[in-house]
């Protein structure tokens, strides 16, 4: 026997099965939203993990291709590493839940979400977000829930909740909002330049719907919830704090952290830590928690300086942006490059253009997304923060930052018809001290312009921070937070957009949610900052896209042919099109509707390819003058190739004005000659003449 709970959510039935499967997990629910089915489990280790100073939470969103009736590609025919969508979903589930676990909890916790079936009108990602929260709430794992998540679209000026596939396609907004019973705890958005006030209204419309889901979850927890288990606290003893303050007074700690140079601050803290290690050499239990104690002492000091004294660690005003710089074309030969610097954060972005056939192919659970034309990748090497470690490829953070910047720029990209290129931008982090993802947005926008991509407008991004006191009214919103303010603050509110509106949001917080005034103030602060960045910094480096792509970028000629003629251009087993490519050195893409893209760097070769394709798809007409290559000689005449796969014959009587006894007297293999089409002969075949070209 199992318990089943149902509610209507945005016009579809949400069903939660408790006690049906995975009974050995601490908490497990089988989620149904429409025909979408996701198994969500929460498990925790019995004992804390030794030697760590953080909460070890793992979130897994496991996509199975059987959920959409597919067998995975490749030789192995089974799922491999997580897709980008799965990683981004992991992060969206993690962000609202992590702050609600006890800060002194060190037991390993894993939230597994297994997608079993997908109804394209009912998001499996949303179903997993709700299921992960419910599974944790009914488990014995300490958790200050419940929370709920809602997706919001904007279709014809109206908000739609948990949009269907058709609504997503038409929507100007893709917003995800997670809430507790009182406050908003997570925001993620991609938007087509949506105005700030409309975005705020959408956020709180979602928050209102979340309250209905939370009430539904509370009924499940009341009937099925387990008592929360006891755990070993890893809180720092108050007597250790007292001993530290006796050795390092508050004034000394303020002086240590009050600098705009990250390395200087870290050196100051290192010296303080060494003094404390010497002082507590005979107290092993204190030494084990000294790192966490020093961290918390720094945190309290920085928060007090900001909130009470309105003094930031680097001396800036609350709404002041760090020194900014922008430049383009610093890397030769690439298709476009730009560098954006904000304080000790520095991003270099490089743009690469290619034909549309180089677009990324997607093989996931969303059947509407089969390719991706614009790709933004973000790299974060250890030298950017003065550390050393081997590079193991992009982690979840790098993939998340890349996707955020990508989302911010998609709304301003030209259509494929306007600009028939696949586009890749890569953000290389040269230096990092806060909000490299938003610096990547700024650098990418300039890099695209420098590459000649006709984007609609410049896009800039900035991050706002938050320090809160004991009440909801006691807070301070900071513009352009650096690393220290991110570590010790309560919020990292990233907003990217144009002058017209917002294109992307990502909000991370460490507290139990934000009130509406805080969100409104943060969005207003980021609007002011990004307007300044665009007008005073980016536009002075490059204010509009270059009229043409660069010297080393591929050029593209487009032409339209009759779809019935595509087979003629391709030829048997690709023989014809491969011959054109070999002769001209270009790359050719043909779509099912007959649109042809000829891509190359040599204008002469591209024009030759265009002419060859034109000849292949154009029927011969009397009076048409063509140029052909002699490919075969017979007693009765010569065969000419006008284009790969398209030939014609010149009879011996049509070779010259005078009598010709042997074809070889006039022509040899490989000769290129001009001929005129005489129309069809008695046999219905086209005939050609060399001697009548002048006429």
């Amino acid at each position: 026997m199992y318990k089943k709970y149902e509610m209507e959510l945005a016009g579809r039935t949400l069903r939660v099965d408790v006690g049906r499967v995975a009974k050995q997990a601490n908490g497990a629910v089988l989620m149904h939203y429409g025909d979408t089915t996701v198994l969500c489990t929460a498990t925790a280790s019995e004992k804390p993990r030794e030697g760590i100073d953080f909460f070890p939470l793992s979130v897994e969103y496991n996509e199975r291709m059987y959920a959409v009736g597919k067998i995975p590609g490749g030789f192995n025919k089974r799922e491999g590493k997580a897709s980008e969508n799965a990683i981004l979903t992991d992060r969206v589930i993690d962000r609202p839940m992590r702050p609600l676990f006890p800060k002194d909890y060190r037991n390993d916790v894993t939230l597994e979400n297994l997608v079993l079936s997908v109804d394209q009108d009912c998001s499996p990602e949303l179903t997993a977000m709700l299921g992960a929260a419910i599974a944790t709430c009914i488990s014995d794992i300490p958790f200050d829930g419940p929370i709920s998540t809602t997706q919001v679209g904007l279709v014809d000026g109206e908000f739609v909740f948990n949009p269907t596939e058709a609504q997503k396609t038409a929507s100007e907004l893709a917003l995800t909002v997670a809430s507790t019973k009182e406050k908003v705890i997570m925001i993620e958005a991609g938007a087509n330049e949506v105005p700030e006030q409309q975005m705020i209204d959408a956020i709180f419309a979602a928050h209102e719907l979340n309250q209905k889901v939370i009430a539904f979850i509370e009924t499940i927890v009341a009937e099925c919830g387990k008592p929360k288990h006891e755990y070993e606290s890893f809180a720092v003893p108050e007597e250790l704090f007292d001993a530290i303050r006796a050795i390092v007074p508050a004034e000394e700690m303020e002086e240590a952290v009050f600098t705009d140079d990250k390395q200087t601050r870290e050196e100051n803290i290192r010296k303080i830590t060494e003094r404390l290690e010497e002082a507590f050499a005979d107290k092993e239990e204190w030494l084990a928690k000294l790192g966490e104690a020093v961290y918390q002492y720094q945190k309290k000091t920085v928060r007090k300086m900001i909130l009470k004294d309105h003094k930031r660690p680097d001396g800036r005003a609350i709404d002041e942006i760090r020194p900014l710089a922008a430049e383009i074309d610093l890397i030769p030969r690439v298709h476009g490059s730009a560098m954006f610097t904000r304080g000790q954060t520095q991003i270099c972005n490089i743009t690469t253009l290619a034909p549309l056939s180089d677009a990324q192919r997607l093989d996931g659970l969303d059947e509407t997304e089969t390719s991706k034309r614009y790709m933004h990748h973000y790299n974060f090497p250890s030298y950017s923060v003065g550390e050393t470690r081997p590079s193991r490829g992009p982690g979840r953070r790098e993939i998340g930052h890349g996707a955020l910047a990508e989302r911010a720029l998609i709304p301003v990209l030209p259509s494929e018809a306007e600009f028939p290129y696949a586009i890749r931008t890569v953000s290389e982090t040269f230096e990092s001290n806060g909000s490299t993802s938003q610096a990547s947005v700024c650098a990418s926008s300039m890099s695209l312009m420098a590459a000649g991509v006709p984007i609609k407008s410049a896009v800039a991004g900035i991050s706002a921070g938050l320090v809160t006191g004991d009440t909801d009214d006691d807070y301070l919103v900071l513009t352009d937070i650096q690393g220290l303010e991110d570590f010790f603050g309560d919020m990292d509110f990233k907003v990217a957009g144009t002058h017209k509106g917002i294109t992307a949001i990502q909000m991370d917080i460490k507290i139990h949610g934000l009130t509406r005034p805080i969100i409104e103030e943060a969005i207003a602060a980021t609007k002011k900052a990004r307007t300044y960045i665009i007008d005073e910094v980016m536009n002075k480096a490059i204010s509009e896209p270059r009229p043409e792509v660069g010297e080393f970028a591929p050029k593209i000629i487009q032409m339209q042919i009759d779809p019935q003629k595509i087979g003629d251009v391709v030829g048997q087993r690709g023989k014809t099109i491969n011959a054109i490519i070999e002769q001209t050195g270009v790359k050719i893409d043909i779509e099912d509707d007959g649109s042809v893209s000829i891509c190359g760097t040599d204008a002469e070769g591209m024009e030759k390819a265009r002419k060859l394709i034109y000849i292949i798809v154009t029927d011969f007409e009397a009076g048409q003058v063509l140029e052909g290559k002699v490919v075969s000689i017979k007693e009765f005449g010569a065969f000419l190739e006008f284009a790969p796969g398209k030939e014609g014959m010149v009879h011996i009587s049509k070779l010259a004005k005078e009598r010709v006894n042997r074809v070889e007297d006039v022509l040899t293999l490989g000769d290129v000659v001009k001929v005129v089409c005489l129309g069809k002969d008695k046999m219905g075949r086209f005939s050609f003449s060399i001697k009548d070209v002048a006429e």
Side-chain angles (χ1 to χ4, degrees):
M1 295 293 292
Y2 65 93
K3 292 189 177 182
K4 180 172 70 175
Y5 301 86
E6 291 185 357
M7 75 170 286
E8 286 301 303
L9 181 59
R12 284 143 285 170
T13 301
L14 176 69
R15 192 178 98 214
V16 182
D17 295 345
V18 181
R20 188 175 188 181
V21 293
K23 296 174 187 175
Q24 294 186 52
N26 294 62
V29 289
L30 190 62
M31 301 290 296
H32 307 267
Y33 191 31
D35 283 341
T36 293
T37 308
V38 183
L39 170 60
C40 303
T41 62
T43 52
S45 61
E46 290 185 10
K47 295 181 180 180
R49 194 195 298 185
E50 296 293 333
I52 60 169
D53 58 0
F54 61 92
F55 168 46
L57 172 66
S58 298
V59 179
E60 304 294 339
Y61 176 77
N62 296 313
E63 297 173 318
R64 296 288 188 261
M65 296 305 287
Y66 58 65
V68 289
K70 291 181 183 177
I71 294 175
F75 290 105
N76 292 331
K77 296 297 178 185
R78 70 175 298 167
E79 291 82 5
K81 69 176 186 178
S83 69
E84 182 174 300
N85 178 67
I87 290 169
L88 298 177
T89 305
D90 292 337
R91 287 169 59 84
V92 172
I93 295 171
D94 182 301
R95 293 211 313 273
M97 295 194 66
R98 186 177 290 271
L100 301 180
F101 289 94
K103 287 184 167 45
D104 58 345
Y105 191 54
R106 296 293 180 266
N107 296 47
D108 284 275
V109 173
T110 301
L111 307 179
E112 288 265 2
N113 303 278
L114 177 61
V115 182
L116 298 167
S117 69
V118 175
D119 173 349
Q120 296 295 334
D121 284 337
C122 299
S123 163
E125 295 86 357
L126 174 74
T127 309
M129 293 172 206
L130 294 171
I134 297 171
T136 309
C137 285
I138 65 171
S139 76
D140 61 344
I141 302 169
F143 180 71
D144 192 13
I147 63 168
S148 172
T149 306
T150 294
Q151 295 175 334
V152 186
L154 180 63
V155 180
D156 298 329
E158 299 292 328
F159 296 137
V160 291
F161 299 105
N162 302 341
T164 63
E165 182 181 345
Q167 289 171 333
K168 285 179 183 176
T169 303
S171 181
E172 299 287 309
L173 173 67
L175 170 67
T176 303
V177 178
S179 306
T180 64
K181 202 169 182 179
E182 294 84 21
K183 300 175 183 177
V184 172
I185 196 166
M186 192 279 297
I187 303 169
E188 179 104 15
N192 190 9
E193 298 181 281
V194 169
E196 281 72 15
Q197 188 56 53
Q198 196 169 29
M199 181 67 78
I200 292 168
D201 292 342
I203 290 168
F204 284 93
H207 177 63
E208 190 175 325
L209 180 56
N210 279 335
Q211 301 314 305
K212 296 178 183 177
V213 181
I214 287 171
F216 170 66
I217 295 172
E218 285 179 331
T219 63
I220 300 173
V221 175
E223 291 188 26
C224 304
K226 301 175 184 177
K228 299 303 181 183
H229 65 229
E230 298 294 324
Y231 65 92
E232 181 184 344
S233 173
F234 275 70
V236 177
E238 193 58 39
E239 56 266 27
L240 174 55
F241 277 128
D242 293 338
I244 290 174
R245 281 190 284 262
I247 298 170
V248 183
E251 296 76 15
E252 184 179 345
M253 182 58 83
E254 281 193 26
E255 189 177 334
V257 299
F258 192 82
T259 173
D260 62 354
D261 185 73
K262 183 180 172 185
Q263 279 74 22
T264 302
R265 184 185 309 113
E266 289 175 349
E267 178 63 18
N268 293 342
I269 299 301
R270 187 187 64 79
K271 290 177 179 177
I272 287 174
T273 304
E274 285 181 354
R275 277 170 52 202
L276 293 171
E277 286 174 342
E278 291 176 10
F280 304 145
D282 57 342
K283 296 189 177 183
E284 288 188 18
E285 70 280 5
W286 282 11
L287 288 176
K289 296 184 177 181
L290 183 59
E292 176 69 9
V294 172
Y295 170 84
Q296 290 192 23
Y297 193 11
Q298 286 184 78
K299 183 174 182 176
K300 290 177 182 177
T301 302
V302 170
R303 292 173 66 85
K304 180 258 179 188
M305 288 167 63
I306 293 171
L307 190 61
K308 303 304 180 188
D309 306 334
H310 287 205
K311 189 166 74 169
R312 298 175 73 170
D314 56 4
R316 281 183 293 148
I318 298 303
D319 61 350
E320 185 181 347
I321 304 172
R322 287 171 287 173
L324 301 169
E327 58 180 300
I328 59 170
D329 301 335
L330 66 159
I331 311 294
R333 302 187 72 88
V334 298
H335 302 165
S337 66
M339 188 163 72
F340 182 81
T341 306
R342 188 191 331 101
Q344 288 184 304
T345 291
Q346 189 174 64
I347 296 287
C348 177
N349 184 275
I350 293 92
T351 296
T352 306
L353 305 176
L356 288 169
S357 57
D358 282 355
Q360 183 180 0
R361 294 179 183 177
L362 303 176
D363 187 21
L365 302 185
D366 189 340
E367 295 178 346
T368 63
E369 291 189 3
T370 57
S371 66
K372 189 161 73 167
R373 170 207 181 198
Y374 173 59
M375 299 150 278
H376 180 278
H377 296 145
Y378 166 96
N379 295 316
F380 187 80
S382 57
Y383 64 74
S384 66
V385 287
E387 297 175 359
T388 178
R389 62 176 179 271
S391 176
R392 303 294 187 202
R396 290 187 175 187
R397 177 182 176 277
E398 286 86 342
I399 289 169
H401 278 26
L404 177 59
E406 181 178 293
R407 196 182 310 127
L409 289 155
I410 285 174
V412 301
L413 292 176
S415 67
E416 288 184 11
E418 295 171 304
F419 194 72
Y421 286 87
I423 308 164
R424 181 184 186 229
T425 53
V426 180
S427 291
E428 302 288 357
T429 307
F430 286 171
E431 209 176 343
S432 173
N433 187 15
S435 200
T436 48
S437 65
Q438 299 311 287
S440 297
V441 173
C442 301
S444 299
S445 177
M446 295 188 296
S447 177
L448 288 165
M449 285 186 176
V453 180
I455 62 175
K456 297 171 189 173
S457 59
V459 183
I462 194 72
S463 182
L466 174 73
V467 177
T468 56
D470 297 330
T471 65
D472 286 348
D473 297 329
D474 187 16
Y475 68 88
L476 206 59
V477 172
L478 309 174
T479 300
D480 178 28
I481 54 171
Q482 59 173 311
L484 188 75
E485 294 165 332
D486 184 7
F487 300 149
F488 298 150
D490 297 320
M491 174 182 80
D492 183 6
F493 199 125
K494 309 179 185 82
V495 183
T498 63
H499 282 309
K500 186 177 173 184
I502 293 169
T503 58
I505 293 179
Q506 187 178 91
M507 186 189 84
D508 301 323
I509 63 172
K510 300 168 190 170
I511 53 177
H512 286 206
L514 302 181
T515 61
R516 182 165 185 145
I518 293 175
I519 292 173
E520 289 177 339
E521 190 172 329
I523 287 178
T526 55
K527 163 73 171 176
K528 178 182 175 184
R530 77 170 188 268
T531 300
Y532 174 82
I533 292 169
I534 292 173
D535 292 342
E536 300 300 324
V537 183
M538 293 169 60
N539 282 351
K540 290 182 178 177
I542 183 166
S543 59
E544 60 184 26
R546 285 179 169 145
E548 295 179 352
V549 298
E551 175 188 356
F552 298 101
K555 315 301 185 289
I556 291 180
I557 294 176
Q558 286 190 295
M559 59 188 296
Q560 191 72 30
I561 65 172
D562 183 347
Q564 302 295 324
K565 300 279 189 179
I566 291 175
D568 297 340
V569 178
V570 175
Q572 190 174 15
R573 297 180 182 176
K575 183 178 178 182
T576 303
I577 195 169
N578 286 332
I580 298 172
I581 291 169
E582 188 176 339
Q583 287 181 30
T584 61
V586 302
K587 190 169 184 177
I588 300 171
D589 294 327
I590 305 177
E591 300 295 330
D592 292 341
D593 64 356
S595 57
V596 180
S597 295
I598 302 165
C599 178
T601 54
D602 177 38
E604 189 176 329
M606 293 169 65
E607 181 58 25
K608 182 180 178 182
R610 188 195 66 78
K611 286 182 177 178
L612 292 175
I613 293 172
Y614 178 78
I615 291 168
I616 291 170
V617 301
T618 304
D619 294 330
F620 292 129
E621 293 180 358
Q624 182 182 8
V625 176
L626 300 159
E627 198 173 72
K629 180 181 178 181
V630 178
V631 292
S632 178
I633 294 177
K634 306 292 183 183
E635 289 182 8
F636 52 82
F639 285 91
L640 275 61
E641 182 184 74
F642 304 112
K646 190 146 187 177
E647 297 181 353
M649 191 197 78
V650 180
H651 192 267
I652 191 170
S653 63
K654 302 295 183 181
L655 292 177
K657 297 285 187 183
E658 62 277 4
R659 178 181 174 79
V660 176
N661 294 319
R662 295 172 66 250
V663 176
E664 290 89 339
D665 294 339
V666 179
L667 296 175
T668 58
L669 288 175
D671 284 352
V672 177
V673 295
K674 283 188 176 180
V675 299
V676 62
C677 179
L678 300 176
K680 293 182 178 180
D681 59 18
K682 294 177 182 178
M683 303 289 291
R685 296 172 302 191
F686 283 99
S687 61
F688 298 85
S689 169
I690 294 176
K691 71 178 185 179
D692 297 315
V693 168
E695 296 176 13

